Amino acid sequence: MSIIETPPSLVPWWTRAAIIIAALPVLAYPWMLAAAREANAGVDTWLWFYPVYVLFSAICEWRSASRRPEVTWILVVLMLLTHAAMWVLVLNPGDAAGMDAVTLNTQYN
């Protein structure tokens, strides 16, 4: 690795399309929020950070695509895993967020 900064290269159209497509599941946010409130899951805090994370991640992906394409793909994969994790959190609230220390303690003793 050198101190000299690498010049930006031209980003292929399919990389830009992949970044946009990877960010699109955040459009289901209103349904996720409604499902979490309906289930009284107590995961609202995580859901409020979710669209902010997706926005900042997409911006970082877009900016790093020309100089560090491997970082772009790592961020894309992390964003896709975050989408999946948020749906798991919303659809399985008892497994993910509803168990407190007392429940866990009585369950395993």
Side-chain angles (χ1 to χ4, degrees), residues 5-57:
E5 195 170 316
T6 58
S9 61
L10 185 62
V11 179
W13 66 269
W14 53 269
T15 302
R16 293 181 190 166
I19 293 169
I20 293 169
I21 290 170
L24 283 179
V26 81
L27 296 177
Y29 177 71
W31 292 280
M32 292 174 84
L33 196 57
R37 289 195 175 153
E38 181 180 309
N40 197 12
V43 296
D44 288 344
T45 305
W46 292 110
L47 282 175
W48 286 110
F49 287 118
Y50 171 62
V52 175
Y53 164 75
V54 171
L55 176 68
F56 284 131
S57 182

Side-chain angles (χ1 to χ4, degrees), residues 46-105:
W46 292 110
L47 282 175
W48 286 110
F49 287 118
Y50 171 62
V52 175
Y53 164 75
V54 171
L55 176 68
F56 284 131
S57 182
I59 290 170
C60 289
E61 291 166 13
W62 195 273
R63 292 183 51 95
S64 68
S66 64
R67 295 179 191 259
R68 303 278 186 199
E70 55 279 341
V71 172
T72 299
W73 294 112
I74 291 170
L75 289 173
V76 167
V77 169
L78 286 175
M79 185 189 301
L80 294 174
L81 289 172
T82 302
H83 293 313
M86 294 308 291
W87 275 109
V88 167
L89 189 65
V90 168
L91 296 177
N92 301 316
D95 297 336
M99 297 192 135
D100 57 355
V102 174
T103 306
L104 290 173
N105 194 18

